[in-house]
Amino acid sequence: MRRNAMLARLVLAHAVAAVAALCPTTPLHAKFRAPRIIRTAAGEDEDDLAALDAAAKAAQSSADAQNADAAAAPPLGDDDPFWAAVADARIVEGGGASYNRGRVVDASRADAEAARARGVVDLVRAGELRWAQDADRVALFLPVSEETKARSIDVDVTPRALSLSVDGAPILERAPLRHGVDGEGSSWTLEDVASRCLVLELPKLDDAIVWASLLDGRSREEIEDELAMQFGREMEE
C-alpha cells in the first residue's frame, strides 16, 4: 500500500512538471479565464438605430414624393426670387429648397369644377398661393395688399383640411390637405416675403413625410368617407 501511494505521488509530480514545461511562464489558473466580453462603446447602439430610422424615413419620404398627383402645380425654379425671400425670412429651413415646393394650384391648367370639388373656391386667387416645407412644417404664402388688416383674414385649420378667406371672400373651403397637420399648433402672420404676404404655418403630424403637394388630389367627399371609415375602425378596436 505504501509503495502504491508513493508511485501515485510520483506520477502526479511528473504530470505537474509536464504541464509546467508546456507553459513555464504562465500560471496554471490563467489558462482558464472567462471569455472576454466586447462591449459596444456608449452611444453606438443608439447611433445605429438612428441611422436605420433615418433610412426608413428617407425611403418613406421618397415613396411619397413619387406619388405626386394632379393636385400639385409645377414647381417654381430655384432661381425664382420669391424662394430667395422665403429663405431670407427663415420661415422654413433654407426656404424649403431641399423639399417639394411651388404653387398650390396651377390656375391656368386646372379645371374649375374639379378644383371646386377639392375645396378651391376662388381658383384665380388660389393660383397665387405658394407653399414650401421643411422636415417638420408646411408654410403657405398668399400675397395681400398693404391695406389688408388682420381682422379681415379668416383661417380655419383641422388635421386634414384648410379653409381660408380674405376680406370676406373665400379662397379655400375645407380643402383637403395632402397629409395631417396640427391644427391647434398652426399660426399665421402678415409679413414681408418679397411682398406683403399672409404666412400660414402648419406643423406636420408626421415629420417623416415629404409632401408631394399641399392639397390632396381626392375630393372632399372621398377624404371624409375615408376618415369616417378610419374613425369607425378605431372605435371598434
Side-chain angles (χ1 to χ4, degrees), residues 35-117:
R36 184 167 61 95
I37 299 175
I38 301 175
R39 297 188 181 276
T40 305
E44 286 187 13
D45 283 343
E46 289 81 0
D47 291 343
D48 290 343
L49 290 174
L52 290 173
D53 187 55
K57 288 184 176 181
Q60 180 180 357
S61 299
S62 176
D64 184 78
Q66 292 173 7
N67 291 331
D69 55 28
L76 300 177
D78 289 341
D79 58 347
D80 189 297
F82 179 78
W83 297 125
V86 172
D88 290 341
R90 298 183 179 180
I91 296 165
V92 291
E93 183 179 356
S98 299
Y99 304 86
N100 298 326
R101 63 184 184 183
R103 294 189 183 277
V104 172
V105 295
D106 186 347
S108 64
R109 299 192 309 164
D111 177 79
E113 184 176 348
R116 175 73 193 201

Side-chain angles (χ1 to χ4, degrees), residues 4-23:
N4 289 340
M6 291 177 63
L7 287 173
R9 286 196 293 272
L10 183 60
V11 170
L12 179 60
H14 279 292
V16 171
V19 171
L22 290 174
C23 46

Side-chain angles (χ1 to χ4, degrees), residues 137-138 157-162 177-186 201-206 211 214:
R137 75 186 61 204
V138 173
V157 183
T158 67
R160 285 300 297 269
L162 170 64
L177 297 168
R178 180 83 183 208
H179 300 286
V181 299
D182 178 5
E184 294 184 357
S186 301
E201 295 184 60
L202 309 172
K204 295 179 179 179
L205 286 182
D206 188 345
W211 291 29
L214 180 79

